[in-house]
Amino acid sequence: MEQNDLIQKWLSDGLNEKEQELFDALPEAGLYKCVVEDAKAFRASDAIEVKSFEHFKDELKGRQKKSKLRWLQPALRLTGVFLLGIALFYSLFYNPLQQIEADFGEKISLYLPDQSQVTLNAGSEISFQKKNWKSKRVLNLSGEAFFDVMKGEAFTVKTALGEVRVLGTEFNIIQRALYFEVQCYEGQVQVVTPNEVLILTEGQGIRFYQGNKMKLSQADNSKPQWLDNRSSFSRIPLLEVFAEMERQYGIQIELIGVDEQTLFTGSFAHDKLEEALQAIAIPMNLKTEMINPKTVRVGPGEH
Amino acid sequence: MKEKLFDNVCEDSVFEKLYERLSKELCHLFYYKFGALLSPEDKVQEAFIKLWENCAKVSPDKAKSFLYTLTNNALLNEVKHHKVVLKYQQLNHKSSSNESPEFLLEKEEYFRKYQSALEKLNEEQRTAFLLNKAEGKKHEEIAEILGVTRKVVEYRIYSAFKLLKTELEGFNIK
């Protein structure tokens, strides 16, 4: 007990001379002194390096640079929201025009979003808005197309020369330069031109040529012949007949010394040019000549 | 007392003085407390950065406890996964030139034992003992640093010493 008190005092540097002698006389005084002395070997300043204020300031600067970039995060967030907004806007309101075009010598058949079927004849084009198609069935046509319309909302085909409105039916529309023709194969269609509104019922057809209206005879087919790769004409000027041939075969036809307005009734096939040319040339008494694979010259035949 | 003029530590000069005054003390304190593996100097620096970021909310006389708490918490979070490791430096003894290999070996063994004994102490004992005997701080200073009474400091040093001497009994390196 005495000894412990002595040690305690010694640890607090509180020994007087006499007590110091007593302490030194302890058998383990040497070890005690060692233990206390050698504690210095564990000095923190030898083991770790306290960072200087300069170092601290550098570190802080590094942090602040990072923290300066903090504005970036909300900015990025805003950009994100903005982009999302644009995406939303486009998905809700942006309504790109679908455009489908049948090139020369080509026919395209497609289904509209409501399963109505459109068949485009060569050199024709339609465009429509895919979105909301079922509630707003409107399409633009340039050229010739056959429609098989599913029942539903009003179905409108707009062309440069007039509109055709139906509820569900089959009909064919031709709109070429000066020439607009609608043939109804099933149901009823309404034809709207700048001057008048007409209703066509099954089998009826109407043609406007250079402003002249002409009723077409009852169609004896359930669909236009061009769907079977055959162009059929009834009292059509030669100009239009050859124009159709150009579209079907993708060729150039030069008419030299031929009355373009002569009316033609008949048909030609879409698969053999030679026969097609003959189908027109023989009844009309014309002479045809292949100048090159892409060009045909048509002149008056010999009498 | 001059610092009382400021009610926060945002002023550069105030902050620098705080840093100069406290960084070393805190580093050493936490080294004794937790050892070197947790790099207490980094944690202290981290605490100073936090202090700077929150300078407007901290008055100069609260700065120390702010730093102490932050560093302590940061170290406590990690201390579970590490054991305390204190490094020791060879002290230059006068007779170092003509020490026999056996003696050097025993000395090496002794310091290793000393090291593990220190690690066995609880942090309160170790901190008080090393602040006193390694750092050379007076009992009053330690009491102030640790926020305890002088008596408590003395008791901690004494109990640390008792454990150390028991661990190191039998060595005779002098």
Side-chain angles (χ1 to χ4, degrees):
Chain A
M1 211 50 202
E2 180 97 358
Q3 190 183 325
N4 284 350
D5 280 349
L6 210 55
I7 292 170
Q8 215 166 342
K9 269 195 173 174
W10 170 69
L11 284 170
S12 318
D13 300 320
L15 293 176
N16 59 35
E17 224 168 285
K18 204 182 153 203
E19 287 165 332
Q20 184 68 51
E21 275 173 32
L22 276 170
F23 179 81
D24 289 340
L26 290 173
E28 289 181 305
L31 174 71
Y32 295 172
K33 282 176 187 168
C34 264
V35 169
V36 165
E37 188 61 30
D38 291 336
K40 290 195 175 67
F42 296 91
R43 234 187 338 234
S45 43
D46 297 325
I48 57 168
E49 198 191 338
V50 178
K51 285 161 184 170
S52 67
F53 190 63
E54 279 64 44
H55 182 279
F56 169 75
K57 280 206 282 201
D58 287 348
E59 179 88 17
L60 198 63
K61 242 180 251 166
R63 295 293 171 95
Q64 277 169 343
K65 245 174 230 161
K66 263 182 230 160
S67 65
K68 262 179 202 162
L69 285 180
R70 270 179 210 161
W71 63 268
L72 199 64
Q73 225 180 344
L76 282 174
R77 228 170 272 162
L78 273 177
T79 316
V81 168
F82 184 66
L83 287 176
L84 199 73
I86 290 181
L88 209 66
F89 174 80
Y90 273 96
S91 67
L92 287 179
F93 304 109
Y94 178 67
N95 207 348
L97 212 59
Q98 299 279 315
Q99 206 162 25
I100 292 134
E101 187 181 353
D103 218 339
F104 289 143
E106 175 177 75
K107 293 184 189 76
I108 293 178
S109 187
L110 68 139
Y111 286 97
L112 296 169
D114 65 343
Q115 296 303 303
S116 293
Q117 194 182 1
V118 184
T119 308
L120 289 175
N121 202 350
S124 307
E125 182 183 322
I126 57 165
S127 62
F128 62 96
Q129 291 183 331
K130 203 169 180 178
K131 262 200 82 173
N132 304 328
W133 171 256
K134 278 174 193 171
S135 56
K136 190 169 173 254
R137 300 196 293 181
V138 177
L139 58 73
N140 299 308
L141 167 73
S142 158
E144 179 170 9
F146 174 72
F147 294 89
D148 181 358
V149 178
M150 298 301 280
K151 289 209 162 38
E153 294 295 313
F155 185 103
T156 307
V157 182
K158 290 182 173 174
T159 74
L161 298 178
E163 277 180 32
V164 179
R165 283 181 204 145
V166 294
L167 285 174
T169 182
E170 289 176 13
F171 60 99
N172 189 64
I173 300 176
I174 309 172
Q175 178 267 309
R176 302 284 185 200
L178 303 168
Y179 158 38
F180 179 47
E181 182 183 312
V182 180
Q183 178 80 50
C184 175
Y185 292 93
E186 192 190 298
Q188 272 193 349
V189 299
Q190 187 182 45
V191 181
V192 182
T193 67
N195 302 323
E196 58 190 316
V197 177
L198 293 161
I199 304 241
L200 300 179
T201 54
E202 207 169 306
Q204 289 185 327
I206 192 85
R207 175 186 302 157
F208 298 89
Y209 189 72
Q210 287 180 326
N212 298 318
K213 187 174 75 176
M214 182 180 136
K215 271 196 174 143
L216 299 177
S217 55
Q218 290 287 111
D220 40 8
N221 304 310
S222 61
K223 57 182 181 173
Q225 288 203 346
W226 62 264
L227 291 176
D228 296 326
N229 293 322
R230 196 162 185 88
S231 288
S232 175
F233 303 90
S234 169
R235 298 178 52 77
I236 300 289
L238 272 180
L239 177 70
E240 292 293 341
V241 175
F242 282 116
E244 175 66 9
M245 187 175 282
E246 281 180 341
R247 285 191 290 270
Q248 293 298 345
Y249 287 98
I251 53 168
Q252 292 284 316
I253 297 176
E254 295 171 10
L255 298 180
I256 294 166
V258 178
D259 181 4
E260 296 170 346
Q261 296 304 321
T262 315
L263 297 177
F264 170 78
T265 298
S267 64
F268 66 82
H270 296 170
D271 48 357
K272 290 195 186 90
L273 177 58
E274 200 60 34
E275 284 177 23
L277 285 168
Q278 293 308 309
I280 301 166
I282 292 167
M284 301 307 285
N285 192 22
L286 299 171
K287 196 179 77 183
T288 64
E289 183 191 353
M290 296 288 291
I291 293 176
N292 63 45
K294 287 281 166 201
T295 313
V296 179
R297 184 172 292 159
V298 179
E302 289 154 29
H303 291 276
Chain B
M1 278 299 128
K2 215 191 274 173
E3 286 154 358
K4 285 277 187 216
L5 290 172
F6 302 95
D7 59 354
N8 61 47
V9 294
C10 292
E11 192 66 37
D12 270 346
S13 60
V14 176
F15 196 85
E16 185 168 355
K17 245 181 250 164
L18 264 178
Y19 190 90
E20 301 295 359
R21 191 158 63 82
L22 294 174
S23 63
K24 202 167 154 190
E25 181 183 314
L26 286 166
C27 281
H28 291 173
L29 171 66
F30 283 107
Y31 171 73
Y32 294 136
K33 225 173 153 180
F34 294 109
L37 277 192
L38 300 173
S39 41
E41 69 274 23
D42 289 347
K43 301 292 189 298
V44 169
Q45 181 118 30
E46 201 71 28
F48 270 103
I49 284 166
K50 288 262 166 59
L51 178 65
W52 180 252
E53 285 168 357
N54 295 289
C55 68
K57 297 177 210 156
V58 183
S59 62
D61 51 333
K62 291 274 162 33
K64 188 182 162 185
S65 68
F66 180 92
L67 292 165
Y68 179 89
T69 310
L70 272 182
T71 313
N72 199 42
N73 288 347
L75 288 163
L76 278 175
N77 275 341
E78 288 185 32
V79 80
K80 291 160 203 156
H81 314 292
H82 294 279
K83 70 176 225 205
V84 176
V85 174
L86 297 166
K87 294 174 183 163
Y88 57 87
Q89 300 280 313
Q90 285 293 4
L91 292 174
N92 282 332
H93 291 285
K94 288 156 220 156
S95 56
S96 57
S97 50
N98 47 14
E99 283 163 347
S100 69
E102 290 79 17
F103 180 80
L104 284 175
L105 217 64
E106 198 186 350
K107 213 169 108 181
E108 179 66 31
E109 179 61 26
Y110 162 79
F111 273 107
R112 214 173 290 145
K113 194 77 205 264
Y114 200 143
Q115 188 184 19
S116 75
L118 280 173
E119 284 157 15
K120 276 185 202 159
L121 296 176
N122 70 38
E123 59 177 64
E124 291 174 340
Q125 294 167 335
R126 184 174 52 244
T127 309
F129 181 79
L130 288 174
L131 280 174
N132 180 222
K133 299 303 178 197
E135 208 62 40
K137 286 204 187 309
K138 297 207 173 69
H139 291 191
E140 291 82 6
E141 291 179 273
I142 299 166
E144 199 194 316
I145 290 170
L146 298 178
V148 296
T149 64
R150 208 190 120 162
K151 270 269 166 270
V152 171
V153 173
E154 276 172 16
Y155 176 72
R156 284 181 187 174
I157 292 169
Y158 173 66
S159 51
F161 177 78
K162 247 178 33 180
L163 209 136
L164 288 171
K165 79 170 163 69
T166 320
E167 289 284 323
L168 294 169
E169 225 152 28
F171 280 102
N172 188 9
I173 58 159
K174 262 193 184 158

